[in-house]
Amino acid sequence: MLKTTEFAKRRKQLMQKIGPQGILILPAAPISQRNGDYDYAYRQNSDFYYLTGFEEPEAVAILAPKRKQGEFILFNRPRDRDAEIWNGYRAGQEGARKLFGANESFPITELESKLPAFLEDRTEIHYALGMNKAFDKIMLNAVKSVRAKIRNGLRAPITFVDITDTLHEMRLIKSPAEIAIMRKAADISVDAHVSAMQTCKPGMNEYELEAELQYVFNRNGARFPAYTSIVGSGANSCILHYDSNNQVIKNGSLVLIDAGCEYQNYASDITRTFPANGKFSPEQRAIYEIVLAAQLAGIKKIRPGVSWDAIQTVMVKIITQGLLDLGLLKGKLNDLIKNQAYFKFYMHKSGHWLGLDVHDVGRYKENGKWRKLKPGMVLTVEPGIYISADIPGVPKRWHNIGVRIEDDVLVTSKGHEVLSEALPKSVEDIEAIMQ
């Protein structure tokens, strides 16, 4: 688990950016109802967790730089024995101070009455309007209340500032403690993928492999997947975000599993593609080898100072050349790349940032140009080729071959580290592990 000092450091860094005239107001994620009287398992808003480490609902964090009584204020649920009997322990006001480092803590029921006082003599409110309509109303009423006191000599806020971009740029660079958690998340997910490969047999249902993944996640302390696991066999391997996971796995088909656990709120995201019967057909192997070559080349590019799009550029060239060599594309390589002829087989980008969210935050461009990689960034590298049966002009022997290979990669000071390196991905290693 991250230490309270880690969260305190983040708050201090953000408050330096806010300045003494600003104040940050950040509500926790709302509870979401699944059906009837039951809610979805609660998951804290990633920004809220990043700054507080607090994982209870019905909470509001306030950062007030240079406030004499304390800069970190937390409104949260009070201790309530009856409520805790039904739904579990609450930190309460004492816990908010002792366990989470709040300088002051108040019952969440007092938020609306106390909030205006925190806004007095602050000219900027750092709050993302439009994200939470119910809380927007609370914020606007508080501002209105302060403005009504201007004749008493108080200054009222005059500007709303969305701090999201600044906060997300902070989140983009991972600390050593965050990286250690993400290594663990990757390790658990590697074990889950290996178990799924070794369990797979023709005639099984896709959801049986999903169950195997979930079992390994849970057994290793990761209760939830970072996203809905994708287990697509045959034609389903060509659906990028397929998650029905309810079809029988046929002999001779490929199985594409895109799955990663969430460990201590940090995501992993790994994809492997393998033959259901443990042996690649010549066509499956040909496509797989192209994707693997592209992925290895993309990963090799990763080091500080390399632009984000350089990864995609090298992978697109290898994939296009491979499809050209197999006769699935026709023409001159440069023209095919320029005209994006590969797009009907490879229609997504090279990857995405990874962190508290599986598609994590942070800009991909700066001043209109693809940003340069820096140490501490974590990204996925995930090329693919998807040959759906409905692509015109493709011989039948290539139909329903969908291949994606994805790993989690940390940018280091000297180059990169593949966090999911332990998961086999060569044809020989995959066939061996499935025997």
Side-chain angles (χ1 to χ4, degrees):
M1 295 291 290
L2 292 175
K3 297 180 179 179
T4 55
T5 52
E6 178 98 1
F7 300 105
K9 182 179 178 181
R10 295 169 180 174
R11 292 193 295 271
K12 182 178 180 180
Q13 183 181 351
L14 186 60
M15 283 191 284
Q16 288 174 343
K17 298 176 184 295
I18 292 172
Q21 298 304 312
I23 186 169
L24 171 72
I25 313 292
L26 184 61
I31 295 171
S32 181
Q33 190 175 46
R34 186 180 189 276
N35 59 22
D37 295 328
Y38 288 90
D39 300 323
Y40 283 101
Y42 186 73
R43 205 283 191 177
Q44 186 59 274
N45 172 278
S46 292
D47 287 339
F48 194 97
Y49 176 80
Y50 182 79
L51 291 174
T52 68
F54 193 75
E55 298 193 74
E56 293 182 26
E58 299 181 75
V60 174
I62 296 178
L63 299 186
K66 304 300 182 182
R67 181 174 176 267
K68 293 180 181 179
Q69 303 94 320
E71 296 178 313
F72 174 33
I73 303 97
L74 192 62
F75 284 84
N76 58 300
R77 301 178 303 184
R79 297 295 304 274
D80 183 322
R81 185 176 182 277
D82 290 340
E84 291 179 57
I85 287 173
W86 285 94
N87 296 311
Y89 173 78
R90 295 178 176 185
Q93 278 55 68
E94 183 178 0
R97 295 188 297 270
K98 288 186 175 181
L99 301 177
F100 298 94
N103 300 116
E104 289 188 294
S105 174
F106 303 98
I108 188 66
T109 51
E110 298 179 11
L111 174 69
E112 292 189 57
S113 63
K114 291 185 180 296
L115 183 57
F118 288 99
L119 303 182
E120 292 175 2
D121 293 325
R122 301 278 174 170
T123 59
E124 293 182 347
I125 299 176
H126 293 262
Y127 170 75
L129 280 168
M131 301 297 291
N132 184 329
K133 290 184 178 180
F135 200 81
D136 285 353
K137 186 176 180 180
I138 293 173
M139 283 299 310
L140 294 174
N141 285 338
V143 172
K144 183 178 179 181
S145 177
V146 178
R147 286 178 177 170
K149 300 178 182 179
I150 289 177
R151 291 183 181 180
N152 297 333
L154 295 175
R155 286 192 303 169
I158 58 174
T159 306
F160 275 95
V161 179
D162 189 346
I163 197 67
T164 303
D165 186 64
T166 300
L167 179 55
H168 288 180
E169 286 295 294
M170 286 174 55
R171 281 176 52 187
L172 181 57
I173 305 298
K174 273 61 180 181
S175 70
E178 289 179 290
I179 292 167
I181 292 173
M182 295 187 72
R183 282 198 187 97
K184 178 66 174 179
D187 288 345
I188 294 170
S189 298
V190 165
D191 288 348
H193 276 266
V194 170
S195 186
M197 287 182 190
Q198 294 178 330
T199 301
C200 183
K201 296 290 186 295
M204 295 180 68
N205 199 291
E206 294 164 344
Y207 55 63
E208 293 181 73
L209 295 186
E210 182 180 17
E212 189 67 25
L213 295 164
Q214 189 64 46
Y215 168 68
V216 177
F217 292 166
N218 287 174
R219 189 184 66 195
N220 288 281
R223 186 180 173 197
F224 300 107
Y227 51 97
T228 303
S229 297
I230 296 169
V231 183
S233 62
N236 298 329
S237 68
C238 298
I239 302 172
L240 300 187
H241 289 163
Y242 172 80
D243 62 7
S244 297
N245 301 348
N246 61 5
Q247 297 300 303
V248 173
I249 299 170
K250 297 179 181 178
N251 188 36
S253 67
L254 286 177
V255 179
L256 187 156
I257 293 183
D258 185 338
C261 73
E262 180 178 276
Y263 182 72
Q264 294 183 14
N265 285 0
Y266 285 83
S268 56
D269 185 2
I270 303 172
T271 305
R272 289 294 185 268
T273 309
F274 54 90
N277 59 16
K279 186 71 175 177
F280 286 91
S281 72
E283 290 79 12
Q284 291 169 349
R285 178 169 186 150
I287 297 299
Y288 189 94
E289 294 284 16
I290 295 170
V291 176
L292 180 59
Q295 202 231 15
L296 292 173
I299 291 174
K300 188 176 181 180
K301 292 288 292 184
I302 296 175
R303 62 184 183 276
V306 171
S307 65
W308 173 268
D309 67 321
I311 304 167
Q312 177 78 343
T313 298
V314 70
M315 294 200 305
V316 162
K317 185 174 182 179
I318 290 172
I319 287 173
T320 306
Q321 182 65 63
L323 294 171
L324 187 58
D325 292 342
L326 294 178
L328 292 170
L329 289 176
K330 299 183 185 300
K332 295 182 178 180
L333 177 63
N334 290 339
D335 291 340
L336 293 171
I337 294 173
K338 181 180 179 181
N339 296 325
Q340 295 187 319
Y342 60 84
F343 197 77
K344 59 185 175 182
F345 300 108
Y346 172 43
M347 63 291 294
H348 56 79
K349 295 294 185 181
S350 61
H352 51 80
W353 305 127
L354 188 68
L356 283 169
D357 295 313
V358 66
H359 288 174
D360 207 32
V361 295
R363 295 189 297 270
Y364 289 87
K365 285 187 174 183
E366 292 180 313
N367 300 319
K369 296 182 179 180
W370 292 106
R371 78 180 308 156
K372 307 289 186 182
L373 299 179
K374 294 180 180 179
M377 294 176 171
V378 182
L379 61 149
T380 65
V381 181
E382 51 177 307
I385 293 176
Y386 315 91
I387 310 178
S388 301
D390 59 356
I391 298 178
V394 175
K396 189 174 182 179
R397 70 179 187 275
W398 301 104
H399 286 182
N400 299 325
I401 297 178
V403 175
R404 181 164 66 252
I405 306 171
E406 177 182 22
D407 283 293
D408 303 342
V409 185
L410 166 69
V411 183
T412 66
S413 59
K414 296 181 179 180
H416 62 265
E417 174 191 344
V418 181
L419 303 181
S420 48
E421 181 73 29
L423 183 57
K425 60 183 173 183
S426 72
V427 167
E428 293 77 16
D429 286 346
I430 287 175
E431 290 183 342
I433 205 172
M434 293 185 70
Q435 297 304 311

